[in-house]
Amino acid sequence: MSTAAELKKLYSKGKSRKVLVIFSIFIALFITVLISVSLGAGSPRFNEAINVILNKIFPSLDFNPGSKITQIIILELRLPRIALAIIAGAGLAASGAVMQGVLRNPLVSSYILGISSAAGFGAALAIVFEVGILAQYSDYITIVNAFFFSFLAMLLVLGIARIRGITSETVILAGIAVSFLFSAMLSLIQFLAPEHEALRAVVFWLLGSFQKASWDNVLITIPIVSFTILLMMKQSWDLNVMSLGEDVATSLGVNSKRVLLTSMVLGTLATATIISFTGVIGFICLISPHLARMIIGSDHRFLLPCCTVIGACLLLASDTVARTVMPPVEFPVGIITSLLGVPFFIYILLSRRRQSWG
Amino acid sequence: MGLKLEINNLSFSYNGYPALEGVTLELGPGEVLGIVGPNGSGKSTLLKCMNRILKTKQNTILIDGEDVRNIGLKKLAKLMGYVPQNSRNIFPFTVFDIVLMGRKPYIQWSLSEKDKEIVAQILEHLGIGNLAMRYFNELSGGEQQKVIIARALAQQPQILLLDEPTSSLDIRHQLEILCILRSLAQSKHCSVILSMHDLNLASRFSDTMVMIKKGCIFAVGNPESVITEENIETVYGIKSRVTKSVLGIPQVTPLESENNTIVNLLPPKIATKY
């Protein structure tokens, strides 16, 4: 029999192990960044890339600034793209974890809840018919449209669910309905699309890509996404308690409806912000939480940071492969995430004895 | 130490289907109240109303004179613990983590040493310290029930509500859990309210018993006055014999249901005896 003191020590040991795990995934992410910055179209390799970056950070020190073209490739093309991939992976993964957690369903993703198809519909509307919210700012018409319709979908889902009382079941069922509605309208647009080019652009958008990444995009997404991730992490205890069921959560002093609503809004905000810039990137938000749960367990205090870093790492790795595997052709990143992620996922699934859900 | 719980003329309905009607009850500190009644008679609903899981009318449920609806959810969680009928987790948590969640109403930003200390002591006290790092879903039913009770105890409640805490357990675990609850009532003056199906166990462990029929209180009082052959026939619709057990407590032997099928299904040896 274990005494209380031993139990406390055992618990602290488990906690340090989790912190160590998160830290090592961080290092993996850092290594992925180094690899990613050294690969790709154009000549700059590892040494030059590092020199350019260090020169930019510490202009007073004696680092080789490299040629003009090297500087543009590294600073204006690769780095913003890497930054966007990291923030996108982090945000999508965290949203997935929070939504799965609060709805107590391991299959929940932005697809199931209608957010992705609504974003697709909004983007297609802009691409094919150039119809949009705030259409006068034509540069951003696709982005604004995608964002607007994602949020509209979420409001629809919550509105429908509200009629029967917001619970995880009603939210999921309403989400599936809304998702089908927007997919149908998206298909309709594709069917009616007058020109081949527009159709191709829609399909490309639906597969997701970081091709258009720029510092502008990064500067908009980073504050929004990191702020929502922080708010999500602040709710960790509420999310833990929610996984015991809504009744028990109430008996532990948690307003389950409020936590559900906040989580849905935060999750949608992060997801919509990201996919309106990158196009629909699925799968990361479904798979990262599962990977994280298998590695670190379900306690959201550790799950959310772990999942965030895993998502960032996975998406950055996928994008690096997507742009380097067959240059100058760039694969849509959505295809690569699945091609890389699925075998990895199955490997972890099979190599773990422990059941992670169900 | 200890709180007084009053229920005044409580009625509740689910979308127009009445589940409870005019329930009035009173419970003092350190008392164990056993709620019995057929399936669907409103036992679980009564527990959920007490705990604000279900919304009730003003001034129907009072703790030390204060309406529970005016007590914040968080404060209520420090006064009242709840053990639901079935606990299943979709996602894997260790036993320590689950019990730690009972500290939720006390946690501000991060865990304090005190939170961990309390959890560790409860685990040790209930004799489940060796399970601390095991996953909840991998435990047996009896072990799981102890963990859930440990979680409710981590709330350090003055009133503990348990919805059929022993229905899926073997007799050893049934006894262990009911003994834990009794000793809690005695040593900590915690009031314990539990709904049960097993009339014999309920009469053995309750100070007061309440028998519910279709949402109304049919009988209330000490076990001897509630567990009678007439009450059981009216409420459950079966004929039975109530005898004194070896402990001097009423013991029910069900014999015959209204449509008289049980006796035909008895093993021949006993049927002839009957």
Side-chain angles (χ1 to χ4, degrees):
Chain A
M1 201 57 57
S2 326
T3 67
E6 284 167 10
L7 288 177
K8 264 170 74 182
K9 211 178 280 169
L10 210 61
Y11 177 76
S12 305
K13 220 171 100 189
K15 199 171 146 185
S16 333
R17 193 193 68 90
K18 286 176 185 173
V19 174
L20 195 71
V21 167
I22 296 174
F23 183 70
S24 28
I25 306 173
F26 246 113
I27 293 177
L29 175 64
F30 185 69
I31 295 170
T32 319
V33 171
L34 291 183
I35 297 171
S36 184
V37 84
S38 328
L39 292 178
S43 55
R45 290 287 166 258
F46 185 70
N47 280 339
E48 293 155 87
I50 296 301
N51 269 310
V52 170
I53 294 166
L54 288 176
N55 178 62
K56 188 79 183 170
I57 302 172
F58 310 107
S60 54
L61 297 178
D62 191 24
F63 288 110
N64 178 12
S67 66
K68 196 88 200 141
I69 193 111
T70 312
Q71 279 187 19
I72 288 174
I73 288 175
I74 299 296
L75 297 177
E76 298 302 321
L77 294 174
R78 285 187 199 168
L79 276 188
R81 189 165 178 154
I82 289 170
L84 193 64
I86 289 176
I87 197 70
L92 292 172
S95 309
V98 166
M99 288 178 173
Q100 288 178 6
V102 83
L103 296 173
R104 291 193 304 286
N105 188 318
L107 297 176
V108 164
S109 70
S110 54
Y111 282 105
I112 292 278
L113 295 174
I115 303 167
S116 298
S117 45
F121 169 75
L125 210 55
I127 296 169
V128 176
F129 298 119
E130 292 175 3
V131 181
I133 313 295
L134 303 174
Q136 61 269 38
Y137 305 104
S138 58
D139 287 356
Y140 288 105
I141 169 173
T142 316
I143 295 168
V144 173
N145 250 17
F147 185 84
F148 174 81
F149 280 98
S150 306
F151 244 85
L152 186 73
M154 193 264 302
L155 291 178
L156 255 174
V157 169
L158 293 180
I160 296 169
R162 221 191 147 88
I163 298 169
R164 293 297 305 264
I166 289 190
T167 61
S168 60
E169 291 81 12
T170 52
V171 170
I172 293 173
L173 288 175
I176 292 174
V178 169
S179 172
F180 271 100
L181 174 72
F182 279 106
S183 313
M185 294 199 293
L186 171 63
S187 306
L188 190 66
I189 295 184
Q190 286 175 303
F191 180 70
L192 296 175
E195 34 170 354
H196 190 66
E197 265 312 295
L199 193 59
R200 200 181 140 79
V202 171
V203 171
F204 197 76
W205 196 92
L206 289 175
L207 291 168
S209 158
F210 291 100
Q211 217 164 15
K212 290 184 188 140
S214 70
W215 285 118
D216 287 349
N217 303 350
V218 173
L219 288 179
I220 298 171
T221 46
I222 279 189
I224 300 178
V225 174
S226 35
F227 186 61
T228 47
I229 293 179
L230 281 179
L231 289 180
M232 288 173 187
M233 287 179 179
K234 202 180 148 247
Q235 296 204 90
S236 296
W237 273 110
D238 293 331
L239 292 169
N240 283 350
V241 170
M242 283 290 281
S243 67
L244 302 171
E246 277 153 40
D247 286 356
V248 175
T250 313
S251 79
L252 288 170
V254 170
N255 184 337
S256 58
K257 297 223 179 331
R258 192 193 306 160
V259 175
L260 207 155
L261 276 178
T262 339
S263 306
M264 292 297 296
V265 172
L266 289 176
T268 311
L269 181 60
T271 308
T273 308
I274 294 161
I275 62 179
S276 52
F277 282 100
T278 62
V280 175
I281 297 173
F283 201 58
I284 285 280
C285 67
L286 182 69
I287 196 179
S288 312
H290 288 294
L291 286 173
R293 256 180 232 117
M294 288 187 251
I295 293 170
I296 213 162
S298 315
D299 185 343
H300 286 82
R301 288 176 298 154
F302 304 103
L303 173 65
L304 286 180
C306 178
C307 175
T308 307
V309 191
I310 288 183
C313 210
L314 269 181
L315 198 52
L316 177 59
S318 303
D319 182 51
T320 310
V321 173
R323 68 186 166 83
T324 53
V325 72
M326 214 173 79
V329 176
E330 274 205 16
F331 284 98
V333 71
I335 297 176
I336 306 293
T337 1
S338 302
L339 287 182
L340 278 183
V342 170
F344 186 43
F345 184 70
I346 292 174
Y347 163 72
I348 300 238
L349 189 66
L350 296 181
S351 65
R352 284 264 146 173
R353 184 183 59 88
R354 187 151 280 146
Q355 214 183 335
S356 287
W357 56 82
Chain B
M1 272 307 264
L3 293 173
K4 198 175 132 194
L5 181 76
E6 282 170 80
I7 301 175
N8 287 325
N9 196 16
L10 167 70
S11 298
F12 186 85
S13 55
Y14 292 102
N15 298 322
Y17 292 96
L20 289 175
E21 274 178 62
V23 172
T24 301
L25 266 179
E26 222 181 272
L27 187 70
E31 269 189 70
V32 178
L33 177 77
I35 305 174
V36 294
N39 285 329
S41 57
K43 300 186 297 294
S44 303
T45 310
L46 179 56
L47 291 178
K48 286 183 185 174
C49 284
M50 291 185 207
N51 209 7
R52 280 188 64 182
I53 291 171
L54 296 174
K55 208 175 165 189
T56 55
K57 291 200 190 75
Q58 287 285 349
N59 280 317
T60 46
I61 295 166
L62 307 170
I63 295 179
D64 262 4
E66 199 180 352
D67 187 353
V68 283
R69 287 188 46 175
N70 300 335
I71 304 175
L73 270 184
K74 209 166 183 173
K75 196 179 161 207
L76 191 64
K78 295 179 188 175
L79 301 178
M80 218 185 237
Y82 171 67
V83 174
Q85 207 171 101
N86 35 36
S87 305
R88 209 178 73 91
N89 289 318
I90 301 291
F91 300 116
F93 281 98
T94 63
V95 168
F96 201 102
D97 285 336
I98 296 259
V99 180
L100 209 48
M101 288 183 209
R103 298 301 298 164
K104 168 73 182 104
Y106 299 88
I107 296 167
Q108 299 291 337
W109 277 93
S110 60
L111 280 180
S112 67
E113 271 309 301
K114 193 184 158 206
D115 293 321
K116 285 181 240 170
E117 181 67 39
I118 287 169
V119 169
Q121 275 174 5
I122 289 172
L123 290 174
E124 191 189 355
H125 177 66
L126 296 191
I128 47 174
N130 52 333
L131 305 177
M133 295 302 141
R134 295 268 305 276
Y135 278 88
F136 179 80
N137 291 349
E138 295 171 1
L139 304 179
S140 75
E143 292 166 333
Q144 287 189 346
Q145 194 62 285
K146 281 188 192 168
V147 174
I148 299 300
I149 289 175
R151 186 188 69 210
L153 293 186
Q155 288 171 256
Q156 298 184 308
Q158 315 258 1
I159 300 169
L160 194 56
L161 312 175
L162 304 104
D163 201 349
E164 291 177 26
T166 55
S167 12
S168 58
L169 307 182
D170 64 47
I171 50 170
R172 190 175 73 91
H173 280 107
Q174 286 182 342
L175 275 184
E176 274 182 18
I177 282 177
L178 290 169
C179 288
I180 290 168
L181 297 176
R182 271 240 69 110
S183 75
L184 187 75
Q186 269 152 21
S187 62
K188 300 249 165 80
H189 302 288
C190 177
S191 316
V192 177
I193 303 175
L194 57 166
S195 73
M196 285 176 102
H197 276 309
D198 189 323
L199 298 175
N200 296 329
L201 275 180
S203 73
R204 180 169 171 186
F205 283 92
S206 315
D207 297 309
T208 311
M209 282 184 73
V210 174
M211 194 179 265
I212 300 189
K213 187 193 178 192
K214 291 184 181 155
C216 301
I217 293 188
F218 182 79
V220 60
N222 58 21
E224 285 79 13
S225 67
V226 172
I227 301 295
T228 63
E229 289 167 10
E230 302 80 61
N231 285 353
I232 292 170
E233 181 161 6
T234 324
V235 171
Y236 290 91
I238 57 167
K239 289 208 166 65
S240 62
R241 195 70 39 89
V242 175
T243 50
K244 291 264 177 213
S245 74
V246 284
L247 298 168
I249 296 158
Q251 189 175 29
V252 182
T253 313
L255 293 176
E256 187 181 311
S257 78
E258 268 169 348
N259 43 15
N260 205 21
T261 47
I262 294 180
V263 73
N264 303 332
L265 296 173
L266 288 174
K269 245 187 196 168
I270 303 170
T272 50
K273 218 176 189 177
Y274 170 72

